[in-house]
Amino acid sequence: MESTGEGERLKVAVLGATGQLGSRVVARLRERGVDVVEVSRGQGVDAYSGAGLDTAFAGVSTVVDCLHLATLSRRRAVDYFTTTARNVLAAAQRAGVPRIVCVTILNAREPEVHRWMGYYAGKAAQERTYRAGPVPVTVVASAQWYELAETLLSQLRIGPFSVVPGMRSRPLAAEEAAAFVADRALEPGGTAALRDAVIAGPEVRDMAELARAVARRRGGRRKVVRVPVSVTALGNGGLLPRGDFTTAPTRFEDWLRTTS
């Protein structure tokens, strides 16, 4: 059981606790005996308006931001992630929370990357807001997840076709990303805990090809149209990790077999 060193259970608040990543982070933390506060609109807490954050953050040692917004709009994404980050920072400061862990997308902060994706621009704005705030923050950057291949199949449909960009990434399973985030949230205090962390998958893959493999595995008739993006940062290596990073072990084909 994780504790503060004084016999008390750690208490961690997870924003976006019912989402694809947040729900997995919650499960991982609870497996380790952590007292988890699930922060979501379903629990009566709205990070965008700030309603309920003060109560949710009372007595917590770390806030983990796994918030997500399903949008391709740059304006909506930047507004949402900037506003929620400001509200979380203000509430965390009032509650005396010592640390925030912000989950973002690998290299989303880079202008040559987020200029092509409105959602990534929102994540870049979120990171800037947290870094400029009064509460110490650890930024955890994850490469795209294998689960994104399924999302891409439904984002842009034209009849029986799904239009998917040929993004080059080192994707990983969302479950492995969640375990990595949980580990960072439970790191002991001090400067080491504030170091940013990066996780990516074991291989460089083309997301359109992964989407095609998912479509075949699911047995549907949907056809994937791969859109070349090699002249952009999405296709020429801009989504790949630079410097030190943790490598998740599960290969795509193994993940696909276990999730079908």
Side-chain angles (χ1 to χ4, degrees):
M1 178 181 293
E2 301 290 338
S3 73
T4 62
E6 300 175 352
E8 296 180 4
R9 293 176 67 186
L10 283 175
K11 188 176 182 181
V12 176
V14 178
L15 294 150
T18 59
Q20 190 173 56
L21 179 68
S23 61
R24 290 175 165 89
V25 172
V26 168
R28 287 285 183 159
L29 291 172
R30 285 186 171 148
E31 286 173 1
R32 297 177 63 170
V34 176
D35 184 4
V36 180
V37 180
E38 297 186 41
V39 183
S40 68
R41 282 180 293 182
Q43 301 294 329
V45 184
D46 187 343
Y48 187 77
S49 70
L53 288 177
D54 288 336
T55 300
F57 291 173
V60 308
S61 58
T62 304
V63 169
V64 181
D65 189 338
C66 298
L67 289 171
H68 171 69
L69 179 69
T71 184
L72 298 176
S73 166
R74 177 178 298 264
R75 180 189 61 79
R76 284 191 64 208
V78 170
D79 172 66
Y80 176 80
F81 285 113
T82 301
T83 300
T84 54
R86 286 174 179 164
N87 289 339
V88 170
L89 279 166
Q93 185 179 33
R94 288 192 297 268
V97 175
R99 177 170 170 246
I100 295 171
V101 174
C102 171
V103 183
T104 190
I105 302 167
L106 180 62
N107 295 342
R109 72 178 74 167
E110 304 296 337
E112 66 268 23
V113 172
H114 67 241
R115 68 176 292 193
W116 301 102
M117 304 280 279
Y119 184 83
Y120 287 28
K123 296 299 287 183
Q126 177 192 46
E127 183 177 340
R128 287 196 302 271
T129 302
Y130 273 126
R131 290 191 186 279
V135 181
V137 61
T138 298
V139 175
V140 178
S142 170
Q144 288 70 26
W145 308 326
Y146 296 141
E147 288 81 357
L148 176 62
E150 296 178 295
T151 301
L152 292 171
L153 286 173
S154 60
Q155 275 191 336
L156 183 55
R157 292 188 173 193
I158 303 174
F161 300 100
S162 290
V163 180
V164 179
M167 300 186 296
R168 292 178 67 241
S169 175
R170 287 187 69 131
L172 68 154
E175 189 64 49
E176 291 175 328
F180 188 73
V181 171
D183 286 344
R184 302 292 78 72
L186 295 178
E187 286 178 330
T191 56
L194 297 179
R195 287 200 297 263
D196 293 344
V198 177
I199 186 167
E203 302 171 308
V204 177
R205 303 297 295 261
D206 183 303
M207 294 305 296
E209 294 303 320
L210 300 194
R212 188 169 288 147
V214 169
R216 287 197 302 265
R217 185 74 176 183
R218 300 296 183 259
R221 297 185 177 182
R222 184 150 297 278
K223 305 297 182 182
V224 173
V225 177
R226 181 183 183 277
V227 179
V229 290
S230 57
V231 297
T232 75
L234 302 182
N236 66 14
L239 296 177
L240 301 180
R242 306 161 189 172
D244 295 335
F245 67 96
T246 297
T247 302
T250 303
R251 296 176 65 252
F252 171 74
E253 285 75 16
D254 297 329
W255 170 85
L256 190 59
R257 280 193 294 269
T258 61
T259 58
S260 300

